[in-house]
Amino acid sequence: MTWKLLVVIPAIVTILLPSAIRATDYTVGDDKGWTVSVNYQAWAKDKQFRVGDKLVFRYQPGDHNVFRVNGTSFKTCTVPPDSEALTSGNDIVTLDIPGRKWYICGVPEHCASLHQKLAIRVYPAARKHWSASAPAPAPPTPTNHAIELLVPLYRIFISAIAAFLVIAKS
Ligand SMILES: *[C@@H]1O[C@H](CO)[C@@H](O)[C@H](O)[C@H]1NC(C)=O
Ligand SMILES: [Cu+2]
């Protein structure tokens, strides 16, 4: 029985691994981190954010914070209630839904006067390894989002059948 696990476990890991490898952690602003007077639109411009990727906002706690807002509040730098702030100085945001996302700093004037604001578009996960260097695809539609959700389920299904076949033969 034990030797079969030596076959089954690596098989499952191999099948599931590509999803894990595709995820990328982005430190917002790279070495500069999350602060005032950085052009975050320029920083984001050449990046293709995908579902499963993470944004890491790094700053001295107390100097800044992070609010996820909508497009209207982004334009006007309207700060939501304090309870919605991320404040750790190492704030990790997992991009789990495709579409546009907006982030601002809530310290007075940091967004409005000093441009501490970031807008990105998040694309569905599955296409990353097919087109890592291809131009940005069209904005996601509900249809391809549904298909891309099925891909990991399909992998798990195949893994389960493989495991069942090996174990059933014992
Ligand atoms: C954007 O967020 C603000 C503040 O939370 C809210 O008042 C407003 O209705 C929202 N706008 C849209 C278009 O959802
Ligand atoms: Cu700030």
Side-chain angles (χ1 to χ4, degrees):
M1 191 63 202
T2 320
W3 71 267
K4 292 194 182 78
L5 288 179
L6 293 178
V7 175
V8 172
I9 291 172
I12 292 173
V13 168
T14 305
I15 292 166
L16 294 178
L17 204 56
S19 330
I21 284 178
R22 287 203 303 275
T24 307
D25 291 359
Y26 293 97
T27 298
V28 176
D30 297 317
D31 292 348
K32 291 183 180 120
W34 181 237
T35 187
V36 296
S37 306
V38 174
N39 186 341
Y40 290 106
Q41 289 332 106
W43 174 82
K45 198 169 158 249
D46 59 349
K47 297 178 176 62
Q48 258 190 43
F49 301 97
R50 296 284 174 176
V51 167
D53 291 349
K54 293 185 172 76
L55 297 179
V56 184
F57 292 87
R58 293 216 171 100
Y59 53 91
Q60 196 63 43
D63 287 358
H64 305 282
N65 54 38
V66 181
F67 286 90
R68 159 108 190 268
V69 295
N70 61 29
T72 312
S73 297
F74 179 82
K75 278 201 201 102
T76 56
C77 288
T78 305
V79 180
D82 279 355
S83 58
E84 294 176 28
L86 304 175
T87 59
S88 77
N90 189 37
D91 304 331
I92 298 170
V93 175
T94 301
L95 304 172
D96 48 10
I97 300 174
R100 301 186 68 188
K101 314 283 161 189
W102 299 270
Y103 304 90
I104 64 173
C105 178
V107 174
E109 296 309 315
H110 283 198
C111 175
S113 307
L114 300 165
H115 316 294
Q116 193 176 2
K117 56 200 306 201
L118 168 68
I120 63 169
R121 185 184 286 284
V122 178
Y123 293 98
R127 268 183 264 150
K128 193 160 199 161
H129 65 305
W130 304 345
S131 61
S133 58
T141 64
T143 313
N144 63 27
H145 186 206
I147 290 168
E148 281 150 2
L149 278 177
L150 288 176
V151 171
L153 291 178
Y154 176 74
R155 283 204 186 102
I156 291 165
F157 181 60
I158 295 293
S159 308
I161 290 178
F164 176 75
L165 289 178
V166 172
I167 291 165
K169 278 193 177 151
S170 59

